[in-house]
Amino acid sequence: MGGVMSVHPSLAAVLPARFTGASILVAAINETFSLRQTVETVERTCDPADLAEFLVLLHPTRTTPGCRAEAEALVGESAGKTPVRIVFQTLPFAGGAYRSGFQEARGSHAVMISADLETPPELVARMIAVAKEKPGCVVTASRWMKGGSFSGYNKVKQVCNAVFEKLMSALFLTRLDDLTFGYRLFPAALLRAVDWKELRHPFFLETSVAPLRLGMPFEQIPANWKPRPEGESQNSFFANFRYFKTALRVRFARRASLLRAAPAAAPDAPGARFTLREARAWTGAAAEGPLPPSFPGVYTDTREAPEGRLFAALRGETFDGHAFAADAVAAGAAGVLAAADADLPPGLPALRVPDTAAALRALAAGYRAKVSPFVLGVTGSAGKTTTKEIAAHLLGALGPAFRTPGNWNNDLGLPKSILAMPPDTRFAVLEAGTNHPGEIAPLAALMRPDAAIVTNVGPVHLGHFGTEAAIAREKGALPRAVPASGFVVLDAALPHFAELRDGVAARVVTVSSDPAAAPDADYVAENPGLADGSFDLRDRSDGSVRRLATGLPGRHQIADALLAVAAARRLGVSWDDLAARLRTVPRVAHRWAESDRGGAHWIDDAYNANPAAAESALEAFACVRPGARHVAVLGDMGELGGGAEALHRRVGRAAAARGADVLVAVGPLSRALADEAVRAGMSASDVHLAPDATAARDLLARLVQPGDCVLLKASRAVGLERALPPL
């Protein structure tokens, strides 16, 4: 039963030859017991071997807490049974929920149902029975055919629906009589092959008429409808008039235009990020020479292994990557992203573009759209890398999660980060950094965040910004880029909270690392244990309190973890997963890396520093190895402008106040730090100066004794990790 056309050849090539299991896509927004009853009924009435998984489709911000809690409970109870996974929609509205699920389905077939119990969940077993006999068809339910019924349906709406269904059946030359009813089973390959357009409720019509236009065979079975027992429908009657526009668009479209560009195509090579065709479409490049059909990535430094990637020849004030283009290809690069005016050897495989930096960003934008992960953007004056690492690790409980490698957070680093994402990435935690005004907004435009975290605002890069208020305005460009359907996590206890919140369209999720300053935040950290980064987390939504720990000392570790935990909770990570994963976050090089060397305990926190971060590190340092002699090695902090001396002195006072027994000040700016530490009470004999990291290493070799505890903290330019003795 269906249309009169044959199946489109591109689609026929990917349809399954047999049924091997169904992914059950269950959308829920405000259902609780109905969601549970739907899942349990399907599992009870179906052969377990026929069920690949349940995908519970939730909205990251609009799904009610009760519905989300029920979904999490089902996930926890699924051990030993059909797996239940939560999928947070990355597209808006009801159609967006199912389209997000289509890309996640692992079964040979997928069933599209709702959690509202308007149609009996027992119908799934009947659909699967048909699919096992006819795996290449769509199985759809009908309330109008013999055996189907409406119970308690508004009579006027029922008449209107009957007229509309007859018009649709005539328009598409089909005997199907309930094209708007969204209860269907599809071959999963069909769902991934069609270029779906609708997001709102006309999507349910599109899921019948687009396959009809493509010649898909249909089987129809009767269904009984009754009013939902809980929750409210997200569709309005007058919104149904949008269905006409959808019907006409699909009916008169070219059949090939209803399909994705390459519906059946597997990656051209293992690990392929993007194809040559995509690269040209995204950048407008002209192709030269023998280029491969796909690329596993992009790189910009010929000191890296090429691995068949595309070499992007960038230009700067003092360098031109085109000078290394031939060497890159000879070493194994698949081709060169080159400027149109660059002089390259004849026959060198290249993609010619007007501007290679702009083309690199265009590649990243295209690939970000292709992978379509949920993007969580992170920025802030301090703690953004730690917060990024924690958030990505926590989100790994829900699926493949990617994070910005290292500090690839600027106008060149962010495109490289995006292009490094594996194709199966579900969550991308991307960092945005700045040291000049006007840099965050273009990064946010490229990133297109679905959610954002701003860790804090502090006195960094004051030489370029002038004031902390200016820094807050700059950092605020990231949360302002989050759409209304997303969310932004901010610490309500911070001085610049109001400035960061200003102009944000998304839901603002508040945390408070200082209960006295912001006791009514959504998530409040109480009773901090500074020695192990533990804290009681109070969830305002239900009043519950849970004890969590980072395993790292310091108030700043708690603040970073709190922000990441709030984002993870909004996206559905369970409390049990949070507690377990928070203690196993991978450590980043030169960021509170502890080791024992020569009988002393060393803490390498030398990756970077600013005054606020240095003060936080000193507070944490005081909690490590109580009773040991504490040697604080503090270096210059850059880009502080005219306030550099005063800010270094502030850190000197903090070193004295936090109980450092010995201070080694490294670099010319840190002379003021050392001077202020003595003024604040440290003995001059315990304060030492070193001009650079190499001199500090020699000094520490004489100064540090077995049993000492040593902290290294400075700006990146100092390279203070060079002061570490060998293991």
Side-chain angles (χ1 to χ4, degrees), residues 131-149:
K132 293 170 79 170
E133 293 292 326
K134 300 178 179 180
C137 77
V138 177
V139 185
T140 189
S142 169
R143 299 159 292 183
W144 290 105
M145 71 181 296
K146 184 177 180 180
S149 66

Side-chain angles (χ1 to χ4, degrees), residues 483-667:
S485 59
F487 65 89
V488 172
V489 183
L490 300 175
D491 191 335
L494 295 179
H496 296 281
F497 170 71
E499 295 163 87
L500 293 171
R501 184 180 57 184
D502 187 42
V504 174
R507 158 92 154 86
V508 176
V509 179
T510 55
V511 304
S512 175
S513 53
D514 183 353
D520 297 324
D522 296 313
Y523 299 94
V524 180
E526 301 172 327
N527 304 317
L530 299 187
D532 65 349
S534 61
F535 58 100
D536 289 333
L537 181 62
R538 177 161 53 84
D539 184 344
R540 192 180 66 172
S541 68
D542 59 11
S544 62
V545 177
R546 294 166 176 83
R547 190 72 179 172
L548 300 173
T550 67
L552 291 174
R555 199 179 307 274
H556 63 302
Q557 303 286 358
I558 295 174
D560 295 342
L562 179 60
L563 293 160
V565 165
R569 281 297 296 158
R570 292 297 301 175
L571 290 169
V573 179
S574 70
W575 287 115
D576 288 344
D577 281 337
L578 283 175
R581 284 179 167 262
L582 201 53
R583 280 192 171 275
T584 59
V585 177
R587 305 306 178 207
V588 180
H590 311 306
R591 294 181 187 271
W592 208 266
E594 300 187 46
S595 60
D596 292 318
R597 299 165 186 256
H601 188 70
W602 292 74
I603 301 170
D604 175 7
D605 201 33
Y607 183 79
N608 215 341
N610 60 59
E615 289 171 329
S616 296
L618 286 166
E619 180 185 45
F621 184 45
C623 300
V624 180
R625 303 284 176 102
R629 189 175 72 144
H630 284 66
V631 180
V633 186
L634 305 176
D636 287 357
M637 298 171 289
E639 299 185 5
L640 295 178
E645 180 178 342
L647 291 167
H648 279 80
R649 288 186 177 278
R650 190 177 100 180
V651 174
R653 290 192 297 273
R658 297 297 181 190
D661 299 299
V662 178
L663 173 64
V664 176
V666 183

Side-chain angles (χ1 to χ4, degrees), residues 273-287 291-295 298 310 337 351-353 359 362-364 366-367 370 419:
R273 295 289 194 267
F274 54 88
T275 65
L276 173 60
R277 180 178 178 181
E278 288 169 333
R280 295 187 64 185
W282 297 339
T283 64
L291 289 160
S294 63
F295 302 92
V298 177
L310 183 68
L337 184 65
L351 290 172
R352 294 281 195 168
V353 293
L363 279 175
Y367 185 62
K370 176 181 179 179
L419 289 163

